[in-house]
Amino acid sequence: MIELKDVNYGYGGADLLVGASLSLGAGSFHFLTGPSGAGKTTLLKLCYRELQASSGRITLFGQDARDMGRDDVSDLRRRVGVVHQDCQFLDHLSLAENVALPLLVSGHASDPGNLKELLGWVGLGDQAGSLPAELSGGERQRAALARAVIMSPDVVIADEPTGNVDWEMSQRLLQLLIELNRMGKTIIIATHDMNLIRAAKAQVSARVVRIKDRRLQIAGADL
Amino acid sequence: MSGGTQGRAVFSAETAADRVVPPTGFTARLTLFAAAAMAFLAVFALALSLATGRLADRWASELARTATVRISTTQDQRVAQTRAALKVLETTPGIASARALSLEEEQALLEPWFGPAMPIASLPVPQLIEVIEDENGYEAEGLRLRLMAEAPGAVLDDHTRWRRPLVQAAERLRTMGWIALALIAATTGAMITLAANAALSANAQVIRVLRLVGARDKFIAAAFVRRFTLRAFSGAVGGTLLGMLAVFMLPGASAEGSFLTGLGFQGLHWLWPLSVPPLAGAVGFLATRLAALRVLKGLM
Ligand SMILES: Nc1ncnc2c1ncn2[C@@H]1O[C@H](COP(=O)(O)OP(=O)(O)O)[C@@H](O)[C@H]1O
Ligand SMILES: [Mg+2]
């Protein structure tokens, strides 16, 4: 579904990622790990074409990322649900409206029953009318996950989705992602929470990819 | 989104799709005010154009393309001078035809004043020559000088010629009125472009989020376009109504037909200013759409 081949990327200065190759097949489950500032968020942004590789080749759903027009990028983002590290909500809209935003912008009707169920699923049934600013960091991350999956995307990309939540809630969010994976979705989660990775590995066959010294490595059992 | 559904949505109440862009009170009020002021000015420019157009047409139709040459001289000189004058007239550029009136015709002209029994032949009635100019017109001063040289008793009487510069002035004013209208439309477009650009950069983060969740440029542009179209339209409705009221309260056209008192709308011309708000809406639509699509293309 998403393939990176010999990708280099740098923000103007020295390259942050060198020779990165990664293949996210349909139904696969990946963890992306590495120290803070290693380039996890950057790598994920390359996967939903928020950024473009300086060299190398990125293929998204069979299409070369370089050849994608602006509308192609919009279509891509309807097939890839993203939990952004900084959530990216519209501050003047309610939580429910933010979660339903992907439906609105793609011209789909939103079913109030489904929306309510989805909010209940992430434990935000009572906060539907709240503004994002009125929510805690953990609540915002759960809402971001709800928004990421509302279009029933083929791929879910989660950038540190458990960064601001307690252990119990992070287990619950992980459970949601595992459930989605069992439904056939492709999942990639950036995290440096090793306990989370271990908990997941007990339930699904997840691959762990690590960014170390600007390079991507497949982590072995040593994590 | 097809053009049709977009067009309809422009005038519908604020929908969920409009709410994705947060309301901006200040730009909204400025746009409303600018649209209203421009519409007010447009109504006056329209009144000026229509009124001067009316004047130009009326004066032009009153401008008969005829003049008269009168030959007052002694009876024995009369025939010779008439012939000389006709020769001058025939060789003057800008004159389509020149014809000496017969005795009977002159009698018919004088009859209303002196009655049919007037022995015109025995009176020193001047010989009249009817001159019809072509569309280019002739040069009156030159003609006068040549007539004076060839037929000293000939006097050129071009009573309606003085109106010609007035007709020209009225036509110029009408043209200026239309130019003013075009400038007003262009200025409205420029102001809305500026306001739309300001709104777009103020909402850069909103646009970023919308792009991230899969919104196409068209969807994002439409949210801004609907706003500004509605603002331009409703501002222009207010300005147009005020402008029409102001024109209505101008002193009415007086019987003397003096130029200043004729400045207003007459009859069906009152419908013309009603086209100002839709035009303002169209200008708002185009200006915002172009601005939005251009700005969005420049974003990642
Ligand atoms: N827009 C940007 N412009 C310049 N440098 C950036 C930008 N975004 C991130 N960086 C830098 O790139 C490095 C990697 O960032 P990031 O991908 O967010 O790492 P991680 O998610 O692994 O913490 C950091 O040093 C960060 O400062
Ligand atoms: Mg990060």
Side-chain angles (χ1 to χ4, degrees), chain B residues 283-294:
Chain B
V283 168
F285 178 88
L286 285 177
T288 316
R289 198 177 156 82
L290 290 176
L293 291 179
R294 196 187 54 234

Side-chain angles (χ1 to χ4, degrees), chain B residues 50-120:
Chain B
L50 292 175
T52 49
R54 227 163 32 228
L55 276 181
D57 290 347
R58 199 174 72 218
W59 287 345
S61 68
E62 284 172 6
L63 245 193
R65 291 194 177 279
T66 61
T68 316
V69 171
R70 190 159 26 90
I71 296 174
S72 319
T73 179
T74 54
Q75 206 62 22
D76 53 322
Q77 289 257 327
R78 184 180 165 119
V79 174
Q81 286 210 13
T82 303
R83 197 170 297 145
L86 279 172
K87 207 163 171 189
V88 168
L89 291 167
E90 274 156 19
T91 55
T92 301
I95 289 179
S97 70
R99 184 179 65 90
L101 296 191
S102 67
L103 220 56
E104 291 74 34
E105 284 172 311
E106 293 205 4
Q107 193 146 24
L109 281 175
L110 293 172
E111 216 180 78
W113 283 276
F114 301 106
M118 188 79 184
I120 193 171

Side-chain angles (χ1 to χ4, degrees), chain A residues 11 14 31 35 40 53 57 61 66 82 87 109 125 136 146 161 175 191-192 196 208 221:
Chain A
Y11 291 99
F31 281 102
K40 301 183 292 297
R57 187 187 176 86
F61 295 99
R66 262 175 232 289
V82 182
C87 292
S136 73
Q175 227 47 55
T191 184
H192 44 233
L196 190 77
V208 181

